[in-house]
Each structure stands twice: as C-alpha cells, then as structure tokens.
Amino acid sequence: MRMLLWLLFFSALGLGAWGDSPWFSWNETQARDVSEQLVDLFVGISQFIQKGRNGNPTIVSRKEWGAQSLTCRALLTPPVAYVISDQLMGMECQEQNVCSQKLRDLQSHSIFTKGWCDVAYNFLVGDDGRVYEGVGWNIQGLHTQGYNSISLGLAFFGTKEGSSPSPAALSAAENLIFYAIRKGHLSPRYIQPLLLEEEVCPAHEQPVPRKACPSIIMRSSWEARETYCPKMNIPAKYVIIIHTAGATCSTSMDCQARVRDTQSYHMDKLNFCDIGYHFLVGQDGGVYEGVGWHIQGSHTYGYNDIALGIAFMGNFVEKPPNAAALEAAQSLIQCAVDKGYLTPNYLLVGHSDIVNVVSPGKALYDIISTWPHFKQRGGTSS
C-alpha cells in the first residue's frame, strides 16, 4: 500500500533568527527522485512561516467520515518536533463520500487485520483537497516505530497509482502544517525539512535520534515488597513474551494494583522469590518494573538467568493487546539492547515456544511472530 515514505524532520533547535537558519540540509542525490511538488510544498512552508499565513485547513472529523470509536490511549505531548509524511496507494478517490468510505475500510483493516487500535496516522489528506482526522492532535499514531510519540503522522491518499498528490492536497497539507505550528501542536522554533526516500538509510545520510527508552514505572511506585533474589546474567540472550492470563488493565492505578496482586500470588502461593517477570506491560501503555534488569525472573525454567521475561497483563488468546502496549514492549526491547542488558543478536520467542502453555495467547503470538529476531520453536530467526 505504501509507495514512498518521507521523513519531514521538524527540529526545535532554538536558533535566534529565522533569517539565519539553514532551511534545507538535504543534498541533490537525496532529493533527486523526490516528487518536485512535495519539495515545493516543504519549501513553501518556510515562506508561509515568515509571511504569517493564516489559512485554516478544512478538517473532516472522525464523526463526519463515519469512524469507529477511538480506543487508542497513548497521548501525544505537544508541541512535537517532527512530521512524518506517507503516501497510501490503492485508495483512489476524488469526492468526500468516496474518500470517507476508503477511510472506513482502512480503519477496519487497521483494527481487525493489523490488530492496531485505529488508523496509523494523525491526519490523512485526500486528493479531494480535504484533511481527514485520523487519531487527531492528542493521540499517538502508529506510523513509524520510534517516532510515534514525538511526531505527527500525515498520509496522502486518493491519488491514482504512480501519481503525486494533487495541488489541492498539497495546499491542504500546507494549511494543516501551518495551523499545527500556529496552534502549538508542532514546534515553531525552527524548521529543518529533510526528505528521504524509503530505501535511503538515514544512518548513512544524517544522524537520526535513537528512540528513547520507555518511561518505566518503578517498583517503589507500585509498592513492591522488598526481596533478595539471585542476580541475572547480563546481557540476556533471549526475550520471552508472556501473558499473565488474568484480567487486563487500562489505567495506571489499575495496572499497579494488578502488579502488586501478581507479586503476592507469585510469592505467597507459588513460593517464588519475587514476581516472576522482569517487566509487565499494561493496556495503558505503561511498562512496570518486575524484578528489573539485574535480577533473575521465575517465568521459564532453564531460561530465568539468560532471558528477559516480558509479560502483557491480560489474556490474549482471542484479541491482541492494544497498540500502546505493543509499542511499549517493542520500545523496552530496543532499550534493553541500547543499554547493554540484551545482546544485539538476541532471539525473541513466545512462552509457548519453550513451555507447553497457552501463553502468550494466539492473538499476541501472531503479532510477535512478525517482530525482529523472532524465532519459532524449531525454526530460524527473522
């Protein structure tokens, strides 16, 4: 469905004067095959900032295009520093009612096939020149791993196969981006567009910020009992994905209570040294410290000292965790590698790949089987 992926980096560098700012940092090789219309769009943005453009975009609300109820919970903190732009193919439309139907189909595909909480983008720009509300200004999108919490995702759709967005669509995008800056959704301090084609590796062209580690709710916050357990062998060689099979939680208060109850059950009923998992993930998108990085878990016999056990709170046999929980877990895994707690060539497995159990549930298993480093029992890593 994707043709091109552009990264439009909005960096709040805090330089003193607009006129002194180096507006463009890409070279001719990078920009050679990028649509000239899109380049004109991004060039125009800097001009409109200086001229004080006051145009407002025409936004078709979720209610107007017939969206299902928004269930995503991961909040976006404004102003964000980036805009990530994409073009969706196979969704040709020129009229609002047709474009609305295309979006309803996209939303259904995103929720029921992908297992996401909604469409991946904050806004979508139709070739009819209208802006359609995706997850909106205040909710994180699901468009680009590592940038969802710090960017607005903008997708062009409705174009014919192989065509660039229409002038009306480009104008609508101009208005939307300027409006975002003016209303404080997007950082106004400095704009530095950098356009990259999908196949260009940013690491070889420009430094890209590493994804920040997720905010971890520490043991002290959920009032863990004090314990003294064996140390972990760092770095771990495996990540084992588990589900707790109990009730899920969607607020921090409820999730903290679930973690406390799990620790009590593991220690008092199962005679574990502590809670069995290294980390637990809630439907609130929170990561809760179990025994943490340095202590052995009690989740998988034979692997407790060499594997990080990450447990999703809930039962995910039929329905997968929401997008906020899935992204939190992926961020945690990448953080473990970056911090040296997990070897870079680690293997990712489901609990059922090692032990004869239902965990992590088929719906969750189907998703983690698409993640990097996944290794099915008897198979090879991806």
Side-chain angles (χ1 to χ4, degrees), residues 6 24-36 39 194-197 200 205:
W6 301 281
F24 299 100
S25 63
W26 72 81
N27 57 41
E28 291 181 2
T29 301
Q30 288 172 286
R32 182 175 55 217
D33 297 323
V34 178
S35 163
E36 291 183 1
V39 174
L194 170 60
L195 286 81
L196 302 178
E197 287 190 77
V200 176
E205 302 293 341

Side-chain angles (χ1 to χ4, degrees), residues 164-181:
S164 296
S166 67
L170 294 173
S171 178
E174 290 174 346
N175 286 332
L176 180 68
I177 292 172
F178 183 80
Y179 179 84
I181 296 170

Side-chain angles (χ1 to χ4, degrees), residues 255-273:
C255 289
Q256 291 182 44
R258 296 289 177 206
V259 178
R260 282 195 301 273
D261 291 345
T262 302
Q263 185 190 43
S264 295
Y265 176 74
H266 284 184
M267 294 178 67
D268 300 336
K269 300 296 184 181
L270 302 182
N271 294 318
F272 290 172
C273 175

